Amino acid sequence: MPGRLWGRLRALQSRGEMDGELEEELRYHLEREAELNVRDGMMPEEARRAALRAFGGVEQARELCREARGVRMLQDLWQDLRYGVRTLRKQPGFTLVAVLTLALGIGASTTIFSAVNPILFEPLPYPQADRLVMVLETADNGSRNPGTFGMYRGFAERSRSFDALAVYRTWLPAMSGAEYPERLEGQRVSAEYFRVLGMRPALGRDFQADDDRTGAPRVVIISDALWRSRFGGDPGIVGRPVTLDDNPYTVIGVMPGGFENVLAPSAGVWAPLQYDMSSASAWGHHLRTVGRLSSGVSVEQATREVDVVGHAVLDEQRPETYSPQTKFVVASLQEEVTGGVKPALLAVLSAVLLLLLISCVNVTNLLLARGAQRRGEFAMRAALGATRGRLVRQMLTESLLLALTGGALGLLAAQFGTGVLVALSPPELPRAGAIRVDAAAFAFAFGSAALVGLAVGLIPALHATRGDLREAVQQGSKRTAGGHQLTRRVFVVAEVALALVLLVGAGLLLRSMDRLFAVDPGFDASHLLTMQVQTSRRFDKEAAERFFARALEAVRRVPGVHTAGFTSQLPLSNDKDEYGARFEGDDPATAYNVFRYAVSPGYIETTGIPLRHGRTLEERDAAGSPPAILISESLARRRFPDQDPIGHRVHVGPVTGPGFTIVGVVGDVKQVSLASSPPDAVYITTAQWQFVDRTLSLVVRARGGAAALAPAVREAIWSVDKGQPIVRVATMDELLAASAAERRFASILFEVFGLAALALAAVGIYGVLSGSVTERAREIGVRLALGASRGHILALILRQGMMLTGIGVAVGLCGAVAASSVLVSLLFGVSRLDPSTYLSVVALLVAVSAAACWIPAWRAARVDPSITLRAE
Amino acid sequence: MNPHKKSDLLKQGTLELLVLRLLRAGTLNGWDIMQRIRVASGDVLSVTPGALYPALHRLEARGLVSAVWAASENNRRAKLYELTRAGGKQLEAERDIWERFAGAVEAILRDA
């Protein structure tokens, strides 16, 4: 089918040109006929008309001429295809290697394309997705803060830039009813949330403003996946009651199966916020704002307006939680969701395209070698009247066949590959749900196969049909053989260079991973088991405290447990619990942004955070006792550079709360990631915090293996109260690894591509040298006959191969230096010009090349001069 | 003179055979070929342009003839056709076929 299409396209393209000529030819004929008529005595006008009549149907003649060309072209191409298939089947070894190599390159590229397409190229899966934005606040120090409900109300009432505006936050309700309580992932949203996105429930109805009023009946919308997994796809789901966090809710709708929630991909349940403006948390920063711009409003215009409105609200209402320097910004949602990961993806895309290039070069070399061998065949066809263009077309058809077969195989491999990719991918990879082999990937695979087919076939086709083909009927024409050998060598040098670039990338990423994991997280991560325990809303503060205290006791009694403790946020696990801290005596506007850890006494010791000064939190820091707080080292150094922080007081959170007295200074801990600097942190006991922390993470230091203790520890907690969900069970080592997931993802891909490139380059070198040895068989025979030692021959061939490698390495080093700038954002602790990485890669490449050169060299040394000199 | 109507229903294959033969003698344009067929056949055979030009284009597409543009008198451009080597071989092959066909028909007409 592609052959026909190609033929038609070509006929179309030169049609214009041929039509003009056809016209001229027919006109000439009519003029000659008219002349004859004039000579016979007709008037010129009549002569012309008579000529036309005598012609018969001119239009019909035109059509038939055009058809003759087109049909013939199609027939030619069909013939080319059949001949091509026959030829390829006669050389199964060559065909197999070529097809597999191309399948590797195209398959890998298609897989990466499927991952990259939803992020880099496609818009978000919502109607008019370019109108979707997020409204963000930046604090004085430039960091982003979550928004507040009060500000959202201000925007909703006063701003004119939006068609719809909504806020949301994470919601992790416990659903009861089954044997063990299950924790669901969901969002608490304002009523317009789905309207902002432009999606409607497939069953039931969307939220209305009434559902969002404080005290309104509790309703919930669920996802298609949740409907099928937990409710068996019950068609009567709308109106069904469900118990979440010990409260009764009614299901009012189910979102469609194709709905992709980019803001919270695994959310399965949504409920209205039902905010009360008079509540204290109305000005608490814990919501995110998303909106749909009105048509005609640009992001810049919206930003300006939103900043003005925001400051008007601040001036009027003067909430404590905002500093006057806050800036309000509107940013495209697509950019927010995908921006962070673009550099990594671009790096990976570059790597896979390099791999594709290498596989193309490999196949081009194969075709060059085959082309040289087939010159006799082409000479014969030329003698029978085939034009050079025809022969070139024949070879291009064959290379297209190879490429399209490779592409089809590659597409199959990509099906498998995308599955692997999704499994490997870091959890925060945006649009991971959209990674699949879809129509776009299909188009990419066949498009690139067609391009590849033409590209790899062109030079060999031109080479093989070059010069006077009659000469080529005699074997071993030196002049032409040299020409194609040179081209092959150039290609091998290119292959080696490209492989080097890829391997350098892989090497740099590997070293980055090493350096990253050598970073001190600020605590002792070994033998540490963690899990998150959630208590239901039934519990008031005392009940929660009691439960956690008893659970802790039970856990400490489990054999194999050394120490244990609770904390409200766990390092390196995506928890970001930030508050404003104001030290006594400071201007209230100068608040520090700190991470707040509400812990059980003993947490600091369990995690192994070093105590720098003063004391840690103890049992005596309970409710009723003077509130005590620990601050982190770097915070102490900044705020109290020449003083002793112990004894000073600080307010954390709402100003109405109690002041805490600093009793100790502890070491810094990496919370967000190993690569970023540790944030300012404060530690208080859960008992002394005025609100209740319903979800705490348990940290257990095991005497032996941490993972093995998990079931026993879970049972211990459930022995106290069975109704509380336990999730996110992981050892600290696993969390550490997961925190670097994005880098690791890129690193793994680079390693795989690098190794594939190395293998291809080795095969390429082997192929070229083999071919060289075969062609020089006579020369080698002569040398041996004249007394050269076999060792000398070996060295000769090896030197030839290693020289190719050497040039390739030199070129590749320049390329790697240039290309490594693509990787800079992924590197950590390693310069992109790191000499030891480059040296190791060069050494590896040289070693592998030497191995690839060995076999042809050895074969050359074993040539029997008597045989080669006889064969003419 | 021929009492029968001029036969202008030359079968496609035969037409191509005649064209190839004429072009072996020299390079000709379409108009001249049409005249030659009429004259050389003694006015028995004639071919319409509507049949000739498609035939010429088919031959050209198959590579049996090649085209050359030349300036003729009155500064007009005429498209001239010449036989290719492949065309020459094809002419021999077709001529063999024709002679065997004609011979077979003649044989039956003689003996039957």
Side-chain angles (χ1 to χ4, degrees):
Chain A
M1 188 145 357
R4 284 173 184 268
L5 191 61
W6 192 42
R8 279 222 180 87
L9 284 176
R10 283 181 49 194
L12 275 176
Q13 181 237 336
S14 39
R15 185 181 223 184
E17 184 186 289
M18 291 198 289
D19 267 1
E21 290 188 349
L22 184 58
E23 277 316 301
E24 203 170 348
E25 184 179 11
L26 297 180
R27 210 168 0 119
Y28 176 83
H29 180 106
L30 286 168
E31 282 174 6
R32 289 290 296 268
E33 180 82 27
E35 267 168 32
L36 254 189
N37 290 342
V38 163
R39 236 184 306 140
D40 284 349
M42 286 193 215
M43 300 309 294
E45 196 42 53
E46 211 197 317
R48 265 194 289 272
R49 267 186 276 128
L52 260 177
R53 269 202 309 274
F55 197 104
V58 175
E59 196 47 50
Q60 207 183 19
R62 266 198 216 113
E63 270 314 306
L64 285 172
C65 287
R66 280 195 206 121
E67 225 180 80
R69 287 215 109 80
V71 165
R72 195 64 218 183
M73 270 188 186
L74 289 182
Q75 284 180 331
D76 274 354
L77 273 147
W78 182 239
Q79 204 181 47
D80 281 348
L81 274 175
R82 288 178 51 193
Y83 188 82
V85 168
R86 249 208 332 260
T87 315
L88 291 175
R89 277 171 58 174
K90 276 196 286 193
Q91 333 155 33
F94 158 82
T95 307
L96 192 68
V97 169
V99 165
L100 284 181
T101 309
L102 289 174
L104 171 66
I106 298 178
S109 309
T110 308
T111 307
I112 299 299
F113 175 82
S114 318
V116 157
N117 190 31
I119 298 175
L120 289 183
F121 305 123
E122 278 180 4
L124 296 177
Y126 306 122
Q128 291 168 312
D130 55 325
R131 304 265 90 214
L132 290 174
V133 293
M134 293 207 70
V135 182
L136 308 160
E137 316 175 355
T138 49
D140 342 9
N141 60 359
S143 66
R144 295 264 192 80
N145 286 339
T148 63
F149 188 77
M151 189 55 66
Y152 156 71
R153 275 251 70 86
F155 288 140
E157 281 161 18
R158 305 179 198 214
S159 166
R160 294 181 204 286
S161 307
F162 302 101
D163 276 345
L165 198 62
V167 281
Y168 65 94
R169 66 168 174 84
T170 317
W171 182 41
L172 303 166
M175 186 167 79
S176 30
E179 195 188 301
Y180 283 121
E182 183 177 346
R183 207 214 17 211
L184 302 174
E185 293 194 40
Q187 291 177 297
R188 270 245 134 96
V189 301
S190 61
E192 307 82 47
Y193 180 73
F194 290 117
R195 262 185 290 282
V196 166
L197 293 179
M199 306 295 290
R200 304 178 38 81
L203 291 178
R205 66 173 181 85
D206 197 358
F207 295 128
Q208 305 296 329
D210 282 342
D211 299 315
D212 207 5
R213 276 181 301 109
T214 321
R218 297 176 207 265
V219 292
V220 75
I221 294 179
I222 63 175
S223 69
D224 183 81
L226 191 70
W227 175 48
R228 288 181 201 284
S229 66
R230 293 229 109 261
F231 299 97
D234 173 14
I237 184 76
V238 176
R240 196 162 136 165
V242 66
T243 311
L244 299 167
D245 279 348
D246 299 314
N247 284 318
Y249 284 77
T250 315
V251 177
I252 58 162
V254 179
M255 290 307 286
F259 173 58
E260 199 186 316
N261 191 11
V262 296
L263 294 165
S266 24
V269 59
W270 295 272
L273 282 161
Q274 292 188 340
Y275 237 108
D276 185 358
M277 260 311 282
S278 60
S279 82
S281 39
W283 291 106
H285 292 265
H286 58 282
L287 299 174
R288 298 199 182 277
T289 316
V290 63
R292 182 175 278 275
L293 288 176
S294 309
S295 58
V297 177
S298 73
V299 168
E300 294 76 31
Q301 289 171 316
T303 300
R304 279 196 296 271
E305 200 227 1
V306 146
D307 200 38
V308 165
V309 166
H311 282 283
V313 171
L314 289 186
D315 285 338
E316 248 176 65
Q317 318 243 356
R318 301 200 170 283
E320 298 272 348
T321 51
Y322 278 91
S323 111
Q325 279 91 16
T326 309
K327 294 175 80 55
F328 299 95
V329 175
V330 168
S332 131
L333 181 62
Q334 173 124 22
E335 195 47 46
E336 281 301 300
V337 167
T338 63
V341 81
K342 270 192 195 169
L345 284 183
L346 283 171
V348 167
L349 188 63
S350 319
V352 84
L353 288 177
L354 271 180
L355 184 64
L356 182 61
L357 202 56
I358 296 179
S359 56
C360 288
V361 166
N362 225 319
V363 172
T364 307
N365 260 354
L366 280 174
L367 284 171
L368 270 173
R370 278 299 300 164
Q373 288 172 341
R374 289 170 71 186
R375 279 178 70 77
E377 169 197 336
F378 292 136
M380 224 161 52
R381 293 189 66 189
L384 286 178
T387 62
R388 184 181 186 195
R390 187 85 171 73
L391 292 175
V392 167
R393 222 171 61 204
Q394 172 69 46
M395 287 198 74
L396 281 179
T397 312
E398 286 169 20
S399 65
L400 264 178
L401 272 175
L402 282 174
L404 289 170
T405 316
L409 274 182
L411 205 58
L412 277 174
Q415 278 280 34
F416 169 71
T418 45
V420 169
L421 206 68
V422 170
L424 265 183
S425 64
E428 317 86 53
L429 186 72
R431 313 279 327 267
I435 297 181
R436 69 183 90 87
V437 176
D438 54 7
F442 215 79
F444 176 84
F446 276 109
S448 50
L451 275 173
V452 161
L454 288 173
V456 303
L458 193 61
I459 296 183
L462 291 174
H463 256 274
T465 55
R466 182 170 67 167
D468 193 351
L469 282 174
R470 266 177 298 177
E471 276 186 31
V473 181
Q474 312 153 10
Q475 290 281 22
S477 168
K478 272 240 153 198
R479 183 161 42 100
T480 47
H484 93 85
Q485 270 287 15
L486 178 65
T487 315
R488 289 188 73 192
R489 286 195 200 127
V490 165
F491 278 133
V492 160
V493 164
E495 257 187 288
V496 170
L498 290 172
L500 187 118
V501 171
L502 259 183
L503 286 170
V504 162
L508 287 174
L509 281 173
L510 255 176
R511 291 208 68 192
S512 292
M513 298 297 290
D514 270 347
R515 287 287 166 86
L516 196 61
F517 288 122
V519 164
D520 178 12
F523 55 90
D524 181 5
S526 62
H527 303 291
L528 218 52
L529 173 69
T530 73
M531 58 186 75
Q532 203 182 54
V533 183
Q534 195 172 343
T535 55
S536 90
R537 313 211 117 224
R538 265 191 295 121
F539 288 23
D540 64 359
K541 191 157 160 56
E542 275 188 34
E545 287 290 312
R546 258 201 320 268
F547 164 72
F548 282 122
R550 287 171 58 195
L552 201 54
E553 270 175 59
V555 168
R556 285 187 176 133
R557 281 199 296 269
V558 171
V561 168
H562 186 50
T563 49
F566 275 108
T567 172
S568 62
Q569 49 176 348
L570 196 58
L572 300 170
S573 19
N574 261 327
D575 291 333
K576 283 202 202 97
D577 203 14
E578 292 174 78
Y579 284 77
R582 284 162 300 280
F583 290 90
E584 203 155 70
D586 277 358
D587 179 1
T590 60
Y592 288 82
N593 214 26
V594 299
F595 276 63
R596 175 200 69 113
Y597 294 82
V599 302
S600 63
Y603 166 77
I604 307 278
E605 289 83 347
T606 304
T607 343
I609 301 175
L611 173 69
R612 301 286 185 219
H613 197 44
R615 68 167 177 88
T616 64
L617 301 168
E618 295 157 7
E619 295 291 344
R620 58 175 155 124
D621 300 306
S625 318
I629 197 169
L630 306 175
I631 63 175
S632 64
E633 243 185 315
S634 49
L635 181 59
R637 257 200 306 268
R638 278 214 327 280
R639 176 62 183 77
F640 301 101
D642 318 301
Q643 302 167 282
D644 183 358
I646 312 276
H648 280 85
R649 289 168 63 85
V650 59
H651 286 268
V652 178
V655 250
T656 50
F660 291 85
T661 310
I662 302 176
V663 298
V665 177
V666 290
D668 288 328
V669 165
K670 303 246 183 213
Q671 173 65 31
V672 173
S673 83
L674 286 169
S676 57
S677 51
D680 295 332
V682 298
Y683 296 83
I684 51 176
T685 56
T686 50
Q688 294 191 326
W689 183 245
Q690 59 178 130
F691 301 113
V692 57
D693 287 285
R694 288 228 159 73
T695 303
L696 295 181
S697 290
L698 175 69
V699 174
V700 174
R701 184 166 307 275
R703 291 186 205 280
L709 283 183
V713 167
R714 278 222 306 256
E715 285 308 316
I717 299 176
W718 276 330
S719 69
V720 173
D721 184 334
K722 230 169 169 243
Q724 317 314 319
I726 297 180
V727 290
R728 291 210 227 159
V729 179
T731 65
M732 203 52 183
D733 286 329
E734 285 163 7
L735 289 176
L736 272 174
S739 74
E742 189 178 294
R743 280 202 176 83
R744 149 167 289 132
F745 179 60
S747 174
I748 292 181
L749 286 175
F750 262 84
E751 280 160 41
V752 168
F753 295 153
L755 287 175
L758 188 63
L760 284 175
V763 166
I765 296 177
Y766 169 81
V768 161
L769 274 184
S770 267
S772 165
V773 163
T774 312
E775 297 209 351
R776 294 170 73 176
R778 249 187 71 225
E779 174 202 335
I780 297 173
V782 167
R783 281 179 192 256
L784 285 172
L786 289 180
S789 74
R790 297 200 181 266
H792 180 79
I793 301 293
L794 192 81
L796 186 72
I797 303 296
L798 267 181
R799 204 174 35 231
Q800 185 185 16
M802 294 317 288
M803 204 170 70
L804 288 178
T805 309
I807 304 177
V809 162
V811 173
L813 281 176
C814 303
V817 163
S820 58
S821 52
V822 170
L823 280 181
V824 162
S825 62
L826 289 172
L827 297 181
F828 178 80
V830 163
S831 137
R832 69 180 180 96
L833 301 174
D834 180 47
S836 61
T837 308
Y838 282 76
L839 278 173
S840 341
V841 165
V842 168
L844 175 66
L845 207 50
V846 165
V848 169
S849 298
C853 294
W854 189 260
I855 301 180
W858 188 67
R859 265 202 310 130
R862 295 204 30 201
V863 157
D864 185 348
S866 55
I867 297 180
T868 56
L869 289 177
R870 235 181 293 142
E872 271 296 297
Chain B
M1 269 304 136
N2 190 345
H4 299 286
K5 200 160 107 179
K6 280 193 191 149
S7 160
D8 52 9
L9 295 172
L10 275 172
K11 282 202 168 40
Q12 178 177 321
T14 325
L15 173 59
E16 291 184 359
L17 173 60
L18 294 180
V19 166
L20 286 175
R21 173 62 183 87
L22 287 172
L23 288 179
R24 197 179 75 177
T27 305
L28 298 168
N29 67 49
W31 164 263
D32 288 330
I33 293 177
M34 196 177 78
Q35 299 301 350
R36 285 271 178 105
I37 290 179
R38 201 169 47 78
V39 166
S41 71
D43 238 3
V44 174
L45 301 172
S46 74
V47 54
T48 65
L52 177 62
Y53 283 101
L56 284 170
H57 279 253
R58 271 195 296 274
L59 288 173
E60 190 188 349
R62 281 165 63 193
L64 299 174
V65 306
S66 62
V68 142
W69 286 89
S72 67
E73 54 314 340
N74 300 11
N75 275 331
R76 284 181 301 203
R77 282 209 315 162
K79 188 174 181 188
L80 300 172
Y81 291 91
E82 67 177 349
L83 197 64
T84 64
R85 210 164 45 195
K89 293 207 166 63
Q90 181 75 4
L91 170 59
E92 297 305 321
E94 295 266 329
R95 194 194 184 122
D96 277 342
I97 295 173
W98 168 261
E99 283 177 353
R100 283 174 47 206
F101 170 74
V105 170
E106 183 60 41
I108 294 178
L109 288 176
R110 227 183 310 124
D111 284 342

